[in-house]
Amino acid sequence: MEKEKIKFYPNIEYNVKRRTKYFVLFAVLITLFGLMDAWFISAKMWYMLALNAFIILFIVLTPKTLRENPVKREPVLTVGENEVEVMGKKFPISKLRSVKATVYLGKVGNMVENRQFLEKTAAERPPEGMMGMIEFSVEAEGSKEEMHYAVIENVVEALMIFVKEGKVNYKLGYSLDKEYRPCTYNLNDVKTEKPASSSEVSKTKQLI
């Protein structure tokens, strides 16, 4: 009998903010190019209108941006007994080479305080209930590999599924602003530790 599939979901608040930033930037870009186009036309600099290709690029990228930042409460990662589905793309676990999770942390103060917080978190037991990116390296034809990724809630818990199986390479890290630190805590210890109760769930500062 096949095991029940485990599902992971996007953080709606985070994705809404990502979409909003994208469209605000798009609106600013259109306004600027509109003003420049008016000047180019008045100066009869027709060849400069080719710069509008940047607007076309934004339009082309819009479906990809919306797809990568879903705002519906639907799973973006599903882990089954023999198969994994990431953002609608499925692949067999037997083809999986490695899994990497990056926890997104929020700022706690100035640059020094943020760095201390980042290093402290990276050395401790991985926090639960955190949002972050999970990346899968999957064997493709020949010696090639495919990369699949998703930003999900409970990213550490998702990674631990594969750590417990012990059949693929895995990595955990933490990102805060523009800095990154690899996890120095032994993830194999987490496998044997008692799960945290609801009152013990980490209150680590999270980026939203």
Side-chain angles (χ1 to χ4, degrees):
M1 188 175 187
E2 186 177 357
K3 295 180 181 178
E4 183 179 355
K5 294 181 178 180
I6 305 174
K7 300 178 180 180
F8 295 89
Y9 296 82
N11 185 289
I12 305 301
E13 182 182 356
Y14 174 78
N15 286 346
V16 167
K17 288 185 177 180
R18 293 265 296 178
R19 285 190 176 197
T20 300
K21 288 181 180 178
Y22 175 84
F23 286 113
V24 167
L25 179 59
F26 196 6
V28 170
L29 192 66
I30 289 176
T31 301
L32 290 176
F33 272 83
L35 294 173
M36 287 193 299
D37 285 348
W39 181 60
F40 294 152
I41 292 172
S42 65
K44 297 184 179 181
M45 300 170 62
W46 310 110
Y47 63 94
M48 294 298 291
L49 294 176
L51 292 175
N52 286 300
F54 286 104
I55 298 293
I56 297 174
L57 179 61
F58 254 81
I59 294 173
V60 171
L61 290 176
T62 296
K64 181 175 183 291
T65 300
L66 296 179
R67 184 171 61 253
E68 293 180 351
N69 297 280
V71 294
K72 292 183 179 180
R73 190 66 180 174
E74 297 176 350
V76 292
L77 169 63
T78 302
V79 182
E81 186 174 4
N82 302 305
E83 186 179 65
V84 177
E85 182 176 352
V86 185
M87 301 295 287
K89 297 181 179 179
K90 299 180 181 180
F91 57 85
I93 290 181
S94 60
K95 296 289 185 180
L96 186 59
R97 289 182 175 179
S98 64
V99 185
K100 177 184 177 182
T102 303
V103 176
Y104 293 162
L105 299 176
K107 296 179 181 180
V108 296
N110 58 38
M111 184 182 298
V112 174
E113 292 170 332
N114 288 336
R115 186 170 295 159
Q116 291 174 341
F117 170 61
L118 179 60
E119 293 175 350
K120 178 176 180 292
T121 304
E124 296 179 339
R125 185 185 192 279
E128 300 177 5
M130 302 293 285
M131 178 186 68
M133 178 180 289
I134 189 162
E135 304 171 67
F136 297 91
S137 172
V138 182
E139 181 183 341
E141 293 183 6
S143 59
K144 296 180 180 179
E145 67 176 3
E146 296 178 348
M147 297 300 299
H148 302 278
Y149 62 91
V151 176
I152 61 172
E153 296 177 335
N154 304 311
V155 69
V156 173
E157 289 86 334
L159 177 66
M160 288 307 302
I161 294 174
F162 301 94
V163 174
K164 291 176 181 178
E165 289 293 330
K167 296 179 180 179
V168 299
N169 294 321
Y170 53 81
K171 185 183 296 183
L172 174 63
Y174 299 86
S175 175
L176 197 167
D177 200 11
K178 296 181 180 180
E179 294 202 43
Y180 174 88
R181 292 291 185 280
C183 174
T184 56
Y185 190 91
N186 189 346
L187 295 181
N188 285 310
D189 290 344
V190 181
K191 295 192 299 184
T192 58
E193 291 173 358
K194 180 181 177 181
S197 66
S198 58
S199 61
E200 296 172 332
V201 172
S202 173
K203 300 300 182 182
T204 302
K205 178 70 174 178
Q206 177 77 87
L207 167 66
I208 300 292

Short mmCIF file of all heavy atoms in Angstrom, two decimals, residues 46 62 69 175:
data_model
loop_
_atom_site.label_atom_id
_atom_site.label_comp_id
_atom_site.label_asym_id
_atom_site.label_seq_id
_atom_site.Cartn_x
_atom_site.Cartn_y
_atom_site.Cartn_z
N TRP A 46 14.00 57.99 -34.02
CA TRP A 46 13.17 56.79 -34.15
C TRP A 46 13.91 55.52 -33.71
O TRP A 46 13.29 54.61 -33.15
CB TRP A 46 12.70 56.65 -35.61
CG TRP A 46 12.10 57.89 -36.17
CD1 TRP A 46 12.62 58.72 -37.13
CD2 TRP A 46 10.86 58.49 -35.79
NE1 TRP A 46 11.80 59.78 -37.38
CE2 TRP A 46 10.69 59.67 -36.57
CE3 TRP A 46 9.86 58.16 -34.87
CZ2 TRP A 46 9.58 60.50 -36.46
CZ3 TRP A 46 8.75 58.99 -34.75
CH2 TRP A 46 8.62 60.14 -35.54
N THR A 62 6.13 38.00 -17.35
CA THR A 62 5.00 38.07 -16.42
C THR A 62 4.37 36.72 -16.11
O THR A 62 4.15 36.39 -14.93
CB THR A 62 3.93 39.05 -16.95
OG1 THR A 62 4.49 40.37 -17.01
CG2 THR A 62 2.71 39.07 -16.03
N ASN A 69 5.11 32.53 -8.19
CA ASN A 69 4.64 33.15 -6.95
C ASN A 69 3.13 32.96 -6.81
O ASN A 69 2.36 33.92 -6.87
CB ASN A 69 4.98 34.64 -6.94
CG ASN A 69 6.48 34.89 -6.96
OD1 ASN A 69 7.15 34.80 -5.94
ND2 ASN A 69 7.03 35.18 -8.13
N SER A 175 19.63 32.24 4.75
CA SER A 175 19.84 33.48 4.00
C SER A 175 19.22 34.66 4.76
O SER A 175 18.07 34.58 5.20
CB SER A 175 19.21 33.36 2.61
OG SER A 175 19.30 34.58 1.91
#
